[in-house]
Amino acid sequence: MTSSPSAATTVLSDLGGCRPWQEDFYRHLHQHPELSHREHEMAAAVAERLRGSGYEVTPGIGGTGVVGILRNGDGPSVLLRADMDALPVEEATGLPYASTATATAGDSAEPVPVMHACGHDVHVTCLLGAADLLARHRDAWSGTVVALFQPAEELGDGARRMVDDGLAGVVGPVDVALAQHVLPGVAGTVGTRSGAVLSAADSMRVTVHGRGAHGSMPQAAVDPVVLAAMIVVRLQTVVSREVAPTTPAVLTVGSIQSGTKSNVIGDRAVLELNVRTFDEQTRASVLEAIRRIVVAECQASDAPGEPEFELFDRFPPTVNDDATTQRVRTAFAEHFGELATELPLQSASEDFSDLPTALGVPYTYWGIGGTDPDAYRAAVEAGTVAKDVPVNHSPCFAPVVQPTLDTGTSALVVAALAWLGHRAAR
Ligand code: ZN
Ligand code: ZN
């Protein structure tokens, strides 16, 4: 620490002033969740807040995406990202501000319950707070803040839609991109990690063709059930025989559909697969191995048509840049002390990295704890974390309001100032 107060200390001296509106805003967001690509009320509230803080606001990027820009002299441009969407989950937290909202989803006319079960309401509230604090104390730093609020993280295409809708032209040159996620863990802690942090996820629908016939006359058929069964067995060798044991990868066949009746051989089978990998090379080789095996098994069965492949629900891997992460880690250690921790590798997936990848800039993504500290430590002591601490997407996922909001807000400010707080750092 230097003898004069750091930029972060100056900017965060006002954290207490943000707290009342942030807590109200957060509870309101939590009670009024919106599904992916329908974050209309949230986007309007975000735009209004950003304007109030003095940001130049561009709404409607990629649908409901919002970008606020604050130019404050020479220096780096730092992009801070929050995601906005909620999930079709029925809230069971019992909180006084629990959601009872419903909405229609997809093609169904039947409304589904909606809940901020992934904590994106925390992310939005923290980024608005950080944006406001940085605007109030612009004498303490120099450069540009880009506050980005993206739709539809849960579908994996919200970031991509903003990119495709001209994001680069809106934000201009950017030097670094930063994002965070609230997770199960002691509230008040922040966890960083270099290298792979979240997996890539790919779902694939595979349709294979057989020849239908009477169940008693297999000689007239190409049986798609047997074909699908051979594919499922052979796919087990992709991870076990083709991927190095030191490289994590998962290939799950989550669904098989074929046939209608015991004495009818059907004419096709549809398999749905999910693949998790942590780097682009492994990702590409596993997806290619699936195609190779399916094509070969169809030939082995003398299938009358080519198999069809459809990729969906795709998320890129999140691989934190070493130098960027080290800079944030050092700043966090200085500000948070022993509450700055190492984030374990997460098997979940995110589309955040689509933004820095498209902009051609390095990034880092960190976690903040959202669980009541006493409850978390008691669960660790009892060995019941998996059972007693609700995870993201659970109907019981309920981050404690504080110190979670203070921590997420501070983390964004501290990380951004690791670039903006030093004029010579560019
Ligand atoms: Zn989620
Ligand atoms: Zn999430």
Side-chain angles (χ1 to χ4, degrees):
M1 298 284 275
T2 50
S3 51
S4 62
S6 71
T9 306
T10 305
V11 174
L12 290 173
S13 62
D14 249 0
L15 187 61
C18 271
R19 211 171 277 139
W21 75 253
Q22 274 190 303
E23 292 181 2
D24 285 350
F25 192 87
Y26 169 70
R27 291 192 182 96
H28 179 84
L29 289 184
H30 192 83
Q31 217 163 7
H32 299 89
E34 296 164 294
L35 290 173
S36 306
H37 292 304
R38 300 184 195 178
E39 308 89 340
H40 299 287
E41 281 180 33
M42 165 107 68
V46 162
E48 188 188 328
R49 273 257 154 221
L50 286 172
R51 285 196 189 98
S53 299
Y55 282 68
E56 172 195 314
V57 176
T58 309
I61 307 176
T64 50
V66 180
V67 168
I69 298 180
L70 184 64
R71 295 178 218 280
N72 186 32
D74 290 341
S77 176
V78 177
L79 185 151
L80 305 169
R81 172 270 205 176
D83 42 8
M84 302 190 288
D85 54 331
L87 286 159
V89 170
E90 184 167 7
E91 179 153 359
T93 61
L95 291 167
Y97 53 92
S99 164
T100 54
T102 60
T104 53
D107 300 334
S108 170
E110 200 58 32
V112 293
V114 186
M115 172 192 176
H116 269 296
C118 205
H120 298 181
D121 45 355
V122 172
H123 308 164
V124 168
T125 307
C126 291
L127 180 48
L128 285 172
D132 188 56
L133 288 168
L134 287 163
R136 282 174 194 277
H137 293 277
R138 55 189 99 179
D139 48 339
W141 57 276
S142 176
T144 299
V145 175
V146 177
L148 183 149
F149 297 80
Q150 81 152 75
E153 182 281 325
E154 297 292 355
L155 300 183
D157 66 355
R160 171 62 37 201
R161 284 207 200 178
M162 290 188 79
V163 168
D164 292 345
D165 199 19
L167 178 68
V170 174
V171 300
V174 169
D175 291 271
V176 66
L178 307 170
Q180 62 184 359
H181 208 298
V182 61
L183 299 168
V186 174
T189 59
V190 292
T192 52
R193 181 181 186 85
S194 264
V197 56
L198 301 170
S199 75
D202 296 279
S203 287
M204 189 190 267
R205 189 171 295 111
V206 178
T207 304
V208 295
H209 298 280
R211 187 180 307 115
H214 195 287
S216 70
M217 301 169 198
Q219 76 280 10
V222 172
D223 188 341
V225 171
V226 175
L227 169 55
M230 300 306 277
I231 289 171
V232 172
V233 171
R234 180 79 200 197
L235 286 177
Q236 306 309 307
T237 66
V238 174
V239 173
S240 67
R241 302 290 83 186
E242 297 192 37
V243 178
T246 48
T247 302
V250 183
L251 196 178
T252 293
V253 181
S255 160
I256 308 184
Q257 305 288 331
S258 186
T260 54
K261 198 170 184 301
S262 66
N263 65 350
V264 175
I265 296 173
D267 64 0
R268 61 191 202 134
V270 179
L271 301 92
E272 289 191 350
L273 286 58
N274 188 256
V275 175
R276 303 278 166 151
T277 50
F278 290 88
D279 65 86
E280 287 291 2
Q281 204 185 338
T282 309
R283 183 187 199 191
S285 67
V286 167
L287 293 176
E288 183 46 39
I290 293 168
R291 284 176 190 270
R292 192 189 71 236
I293 286 168
V294 170
V295 167
E297 287 294 342
C298 287
Q299 281 172 3
S301 292
D302 196 21
E306 294 294 317
E308 288 143 33
F309 300 91
E310 184 196 338
L311 283 161
F312 62 101
D313 288 355
R314 307 193 71 191
F315 293 82
T318 306
V319 183
N320 284 338
D321 176 64
D322 281 339
T324 306
T325 307
Q326 193 49 49
R327 195 143 155 181
V328 169
R329 181 182 284 142
T330 302
F332 281 178
E334 205 170 287
H335 183 80
F336 294 103
E338 61 187 20
L339 294 173
T341 60
E342 174 78 7
L343 182 68
L345 187 64
Q346 309 282 311
S347 60
S349 304
E350 253 282 356
D351 72 345
F352 158 64
S353 70
D354 279 339
L355 300 168
T357 299
L359 298 171
V361 299
Y363 65 87
T364 196
Y365 177 95
W366 65 83
I368 62 171
T371 315
D372 175 76
D374 292 338
Y376 194 85
R377 292 191 179 109
V380 169
E381 225 150 83
T384 57
V385 170
K387 183 166 70 70
D388 289 345
V389 179
V391 296
N392 303 67
H393 292 204
S394 145
C396 298
F397 185 67
V400 288
V401 176
Q402 295 297 4
T404 308
L405 292 180
D406 275 5
T407 305
T409 304
S410 303
L412 289 166
V413 166
V414 168
L417 289 173
W419 278 262
L420 302 170
H422 316 273
R423 280 162 197 262
R426 187 162 184 152

